[in-house]
Amino acid sequence: MKPFYLMLCLLWLVCQPAQAQVCPATIRFADTGIEGTEELQRAYQLFVERLQQLTGLKVQFFPVGNRSTAVNALRFKQVDIVLAGPTEYILMQQRMPGIAPIAAIIRPEYSSVFIVPADSHLYSLTDLKGKHVAMKDHGSTTGHIMPSYMLHQAGLDLDRDLRISLIDGARMVALANGEVDAVGTGIRDFAPFVAQQTKAYRIIAQGDNMPGDPIIAGAHLPKDCVSLLRQVFMDNADSLLQAILDPGARDKYQTAQLKLVDDADYQQVRDAMRLLKILR
């Protein structure tokens, strides 16, 4: 090979993004909260395009739709990075040693609350003894796991001291109709619910803010690749978050922050999951 062409080849190699040398040429991305490729693309197309620009890698969509599918996809190396919730991250840690968080999206309004009618005689969690409480669905972080943990921390026996109904989308309607005494749910449910009611409601208890939604790398990705992706996310946190927000499909991340994961922040969620026997 002539020296001139050899020099051009060397320059081309040197100028390639570092990620292209330690990562697979294609990275497959999923969000456990979105079903279907079309919806995933609508929500994250700008994010994927931005990530591709920053890394020089090709990023493909891989729909999973739920926790079980995501776990299996990571286990069988069908997907490389997954945006998940706190409980999903903890379960993946238990089932698949070696997964690594790249970063986490920290939401400002991400906690559990208990809501009652304003004219109710209930003013604290201990007042819920003997009452009927509605929650979301089994395994929901702010709609089941953490409200249950809050009741336990208040000294209530979840099986004996009150009646809990997991009724998902019907929980707020049940409260409005007087079918339950209180609702344990995420704080983001409160304002929209109150805005639709003629009757007043209030919050009697609010839990700690939850840790972020982690972006998780599969155990099969090289450690150097994970480190470099982590650096890309931290160096470009604002632009990557904005790319997620711009399509308007993930408004829950408004005013959120992209930060490194501190695993200790998830300990309270682990304790709550063990209480409910969701985690061993």
Side-chain angles (χ1 to χ4, degrees):
M1 183 179 292
K2 293 181 180 181
F4 175 73
Y5 293 109
L6 180 60
M7 183 177 295
L8 284 179
C9 290
L10 289 173
L11 285 172
W12 181 85
L13 287 170
V14 169
C15 292
Q16 294 308 297
Q19 290 86 342
Q21 300 175 29
V22 297
C23 292
T26 300
I27 296 290
R28 294 154 298 182
F29 166 75
D31 180 335
T32 58
I34 294 183
E35 295 184 22
T37 302
E38 185 176 337
E39 181 62 22
L40 189 61
Q41 186 169 355
R42 186 176 76 85
Y44 288 103
Q45 183 63 46
L46 294 179
F47 167 76
V48 161
E49 290 175 358
R50 182 63 179 141
L51 189 57
Q52 289 181 150
Q53 291 170 358
L54 293 170
T55 62
L57 302 170
K58 183 179 180 181
V59 182
Q60 290 182 344
F61 295 108
F62 189 94
V64 290
N66 60 61
R67 178 188 302 153
S68 298
T69 307
V71 168
N72 288 329
L74 277 176
R75 179 179 291 131
F76 294 108
K77 305 178 184 179
Q78 296 172 315
V79 65
D80 302 298
I81 58 175
V82 177
L83 176 55
T87 55
E88 294 162 333
Y89 165 57
I90 292 167
L91 285 171
M92 287 176 184
Q93 270 190 325
Q94 183 186 64
R95 297 173 185 176
M96 292 179 296
I99 65 165
I102 296 170
I105 304 177
I106 312 294
R107 299 190 240 165
E109 289 189 326
Y110 193 22
S111 60
S112 298
V113 294
F114 282 83
I115 304 168
V116 300
D119 59 2
S120 168
H121 296 295
L122 305 173
Y123 294 95
S124 68
L125 292 181
T126 53
D127 291 340
L128 293 176
K129 187 171 184 178
K131 304 300 182 182
H132 187 186
V133 176
M135 295 185 190
K136 199 176 179 181
D137 55 341
H138 181 78
S140 168
T141 304
T142 56
H144 172 227
I145 294 174
M146 297 316 297
S148 299
Y149 188 69
M150 290 169 66
L151 292 170
H152 172 74
Q153 291 294 92
L156 296 174
D157 186 304
L158 300 180
D159 297 319
R160 300 176 182 176
D161 288 340
L162 71 167
R163 178 184 170 196
I164 297 175
S165 296
L166 302 179
I167 52 177
D168 201 9
R171 65 195 183 283
M172 307 309 292
V173 175
L175 181 64
N177 292 341
E179 298 168 8
V180 297
D181 300 295
V183 164
T185 189
I187 191 172
R188 287 173 61 89
D189 294 332
F190 180 68
F193 169 68
V194 170
Q196 296 174 0
Q197 306 301 315
T198 56
K199 185 177 177 180
Y201 293 83
R202 55 186 168 83
I203 294 172
I204 62 170
Q206 180 171 344
D208 296 333
N209 207 50
M210 291 293 94
D213 292 343
I215 300 166
I216 303 163
H220 60 279
L221 277 185
K223 290 183 180 179
D224 287 345
C225 178
V226 175
S227 296
L228 284 166
L229 288 175
R230 192 175 287 139
Q231 192 62 52
V232 167
F233 273 83
M234 290 300 96
D235 289 345
N236 302 276
D238 291 342
S239 66
L240 286 170
L241 262 179
Q242 194 58 48
I244 292 174
L245 289 169
D246 279 347
R250 310 305 280 164
D251 287 343
K252 67 181 183 180
Y253 293 136
Q254 290 285 352
T255 68
Q257 293 181 299
L258 194 61
K259 294 185 176 181
L260 291 175
V261 171
D262 183 349
D263 191 72
D265 293 342
Y266 295 81
Q267 189 55 49
Q268 188 181 70
V269 183
R270 287 189 185 92
D271 294 340
M273 292 170 71
R274 289 192 178 98
L275 171 70
L276 296 174
K277 297 179 172 58
I278 296 173
L279 188 70
R280 295 193 299 272

